[in-house]
Amino acid sequence: MSSRLVVETREIDPVEDLLAYADPANPLAWLRRGEGIVAVDCGIVATIRVPAGTDRLRSAAIASAWRDLAQDAEVTDPLGLPGTGLVAFGALTFDEDSAADSVLIVPSLVIGRHRGRAWLTRIRRTDDRTDADTARPATAETQAYGPHWAGTVGPGDQSPQGYQDSVRRALERIATGELSKVVLARDLTGSIPAGSDLRRLVRALSTGYPDTWAFAVDGLIGASPETLVTVQERTVTARVLAGTIGRGADADADTAASAQLASSTKDLDEHQYAVQSVLASLRPHTRALAASEQPFLLKLPNLFHLATDVEGELADGGSSLDLVGALHPTAAVAGTPTPAAIAAIRELEPFDRGRYAGPVGWVDAAGNGEWAIALRCAQFTTAGEGAELAVTAYAGAGIVAGSDPESELLETRVKFRPLVDALA
C-alpha cells in the first residue's frame, strides 16, 4: 500500500504573532491583516516541484500532482476554516519557459488564524515511524527573532536607461498594432548578510502594508496588492489591479493624484484590458460571473491603483489551482494579446522573471485556496551555509499607447519602494 497523508487540525488558544513560529532562514507564510497560515519550523512532508522543460503546462502539472496527493489524504478538520486541514504553499513561474521551478510545499506543522480563531494542523505520512504520542498534533514553539539586518541592492540586468529604451521599443510595436499593452519589468540585485532572519522582512512588509498579501514561499518574499483568485466553498473572487499613480506629499496633492488617475484615459484603458482578460479566462469555469461596472481607487501607503472586484460560482469540479492555470498570465502582468505580449517580454527584458509576477498562495485538499500575483517581491538564494544571500527584486509597469518612458520608470521606482525600504 502506498504512503498516504494523515492530517489533523485542532483549535488552539489565540496566537498573536504567527511569524514567530516560522523558520528564520526559510519561512513559509501567507498573511493579511495579521491573519493567515505559517509553517512551523518542523520540517517538510512533501514537495511538488515542476522544472522547466515539462511536457505540459506547469500549472496543469502542479494541479494534477496535487490532486493525486490530496485525494487519498485522511483529513480530520472540525473547523473548516480557510487554511485548515491539508494545505500546501505554492509559487509558480511567470513564464512556462523560465529556468526557475514551480513548487508546492506541504509542511509537517501549520499554525493559522482566521477571524480570531487559531488552529494547529499536523501533517504526516502513514509510513512515518511515529508512536501514538508523536502522531498527535505537536505543540508549536516560537523562536526569538534574530538581530536586525540590512541589505544592499542596485541596478540589475536592466538599467534605468535600458528600461526606458525597452519602453520605447514596446511603443513602436504598439504603434504597428502588434500589441495593445505589454507589461515591462526591471530588476535590482544585491545581497543580505549570511544568517539573516528573513522573518523580519516578512513582518516589515506585513505590518507596513496590512491590506496586501504578505508571502514567503521557497525564498520568494513580498507583499502583493493583487489577488489572482480566491476559492472558498465554490465561491470564486478575484481583484484586478491595473493603472497606478504615486501618492501625494500632502492631502491636496493626494486628492489631485487620485483624481488624475480616475480620469486618465491611458490608465482606464489599461485597466479595462486587464478586467476583460480575467473575465474571459474565468467564464468557462464559472456561473453567475459579475464585475463592477466602474473601477474603484485602492489606496495603499505609497500609491493608488485602479481596482475592480470580480465574483462568481465555480461551475465544474475544478480547484483554485485550475483557475490559476486558466487566469495566468493576466493582462495586468503580461499584456494584450497575451501571446504577443509574452513574446515581447522575452525579447525586451534582459532577464528571466522566475516567479516574479507568477501565482503565489496556498491550496487545500478540497481545492479551496487564496492566490495572489507575486508583485512587490524579491527572490532570495544562497550559495551555501555561511554565504551571503543573493537577492533579486522586480517591479514593472504597463505600457500602452501614450505611455511615457520616463513616467513608466518613475512608476517602477514607486513600486520598488516597499521592498527596498524593508530591506534597509
Side-chain angles (χ1 to χ4, degrees):
M1 182 177 177
S2 61
S3 172
R4 292 183 297 111
L5 296 182
V6 178
V7 184
E8 185 178 352
T9 294
R10 63 180 173 91
E11 193 158 8
I12 60 174
D13 291 335
V15 175
E16 286 300 316
D17 183 8
L18 294 174
L19 270 174
Y21 296 85
D23 181 349
N26 192 19
L28 280 171
W30 179 261
L31 299 167
R32 191 180 193 186
R33 302 189 191 101
E35 297 190 338
I37 53 175
V38 168
V40 179
D41 185 13
C42 290
I44 303 300
V45 174
T47 301
I48 298 170
R49 195 173 290 275
V50 182
T54 303
D55 59 1
R56 57 178 171 157
L57 292 178
R58 295 198 210 194
S59 56
I62 284 268
S64 176
W66 175 247
R67 202 170 282 115
D68 291 343
L69 183 67
Q71 66 183 357
D72 295 326
E74 179 185 321
V75 180
T76 302
D77 176 16
L79 279 71
L81 298 173
T84 59
L86 174 61
V87 294
F89 295 81
L92 282 61
T93 60
F94 169 80
D95 191 337
E96 291 291 335
D97 288 347
S98 171
D101 294 344
S102 292
V103 66
L104 281 183
I105 302 172
V106 182
S108 60
L109 202 59
V110 178
I111 193 165
R113 186 173 65 196
H114 179 73
R115 295 182 179 175
R117 300 179 72 183
W119 64 88
L120 194 66
T121 298
R122 167 92 174 194
I123 307 171
R124 64 181 178 88
R125 288 189 177 273
T126 52
D127 58 3
D128 283 352
R129 296 185 178 277
T130 55
D131 59 31
D133 289 333
T134 58
R136 289 197 294 269
T139 300
E141 296 183 358
T142 62
Q143 294 192 58
Y145 286 92
H148 287 277
W149 51 267
T152 57
V153 291
D157 291 327
Q158 181 68 294
S159 67
Q161 184 58 53
Y163 183 76
Q164 293 182 79
D165 291 341
S166 290
V167 171
R168 293 185 184 95
R169 291 164 62 192
L171 288 169
E172 292 173 359
R173 298 183 182 209
I174 291 169
T176 65
E178 178 183 340
L179 294 162
S180 298
K181 172 188 175 182
V182 62
V183 179
L184 293 181
R186 66 186 184 99
D187 59 331
L188 297 176
T189 59
S191 63
I192 65 172
S196 295
D197 188 338
L198 291 176
R199 296 175 302 171
R200 285 197 172 276
L201 176 59
V202 184
R203 187 170 66 170
L205 292 170
S206 180
T207 56
Y209 299 85
D211 291 325
T212 66
W213 299 110
F215 57 86
V217 181
D218 203 35
L220 181 72
I221 297 176
S224 176
E226 185 154 3
T227 305
L228 180 60
V229 69
T230 296
V231 178
Q232 185 64 30
E233 301 300 329
R234 306 196 68 76
T235 297
V236 179
T237 57
R239 171 166 288 180
V240 183
L241 303 184
T244 305
I245 196 168
R247 297 283 302 274
D250 53 40
D252 289 342
D254 221 27
T255 300
S258 63
Q260 180 181 337
L261 180 62
S263 60
S264 165
T265 301
K266 175 258 182 188
D267 287 290
L268 289 168
D269 286 347
E270 179 186 343
H271 186 79
Q272 195 59 30
Y273 289 135
V275 172
Q276 292 306 315
S277 167
V278 168
L279 291 174
S281 298
L282 285 178
R283 280 193 186 100
H285 305 276
T286 57
R287 291 188 290 264
L289 187 65
S292 49
E293 290 187 8
Q294 298 294 328
F296 63 92
L297 283 172
L298 178 67
K299 182 168 68 174
L300 295 175
N302 62 323
L303 45 77
F304 290 106
H305 283 301
L306 291 176
T308 293
D309 285 336
V310 175
E311 183 172 335
E313 180 186 350
L314 199 61
D316 52 26
S319 72
S320 61
L321 277 172
D322 295 312
L323 296 184
V324 164
L327 284 166
H328 179 73
T330 68
V333 292
T336 307
T338 302
I342 294 293
I345 289 168
R346 290 171 179 166
E347 293 177 30
L348 298 177
E349 290 181 358
F351 54 82
D352 183 339
R353 286 189 177 187
R355 297 159 178 166
Y356 164 69
V360 61
W362 63 268
V363 62
D364 73 8
N368 298 314
E370 293 174 326
W371 293 87
I373 298 173
L375 304 173
R376 321 294 192 270
C377 65
Q379 181 72 52
F380 293 81
T381 56
T382 179
E385 189 173 348
E388 287 189 330
L389 275 74
V391 54
T392 305
Y394 304 89
I399 313 305
V400 296
S403 290
D404 173 66
E406 186 174 356
S407 297
E408 303 302 337
L409 176 66
L410 291 174
E411 181 174 322
T412 65
R413 287 177 178 162
V414 171
K415 290 176 176 177
F416 270 128
R417 202 183 91 188
L419 197 75
V420 171
D421 287 352
L423 283 171

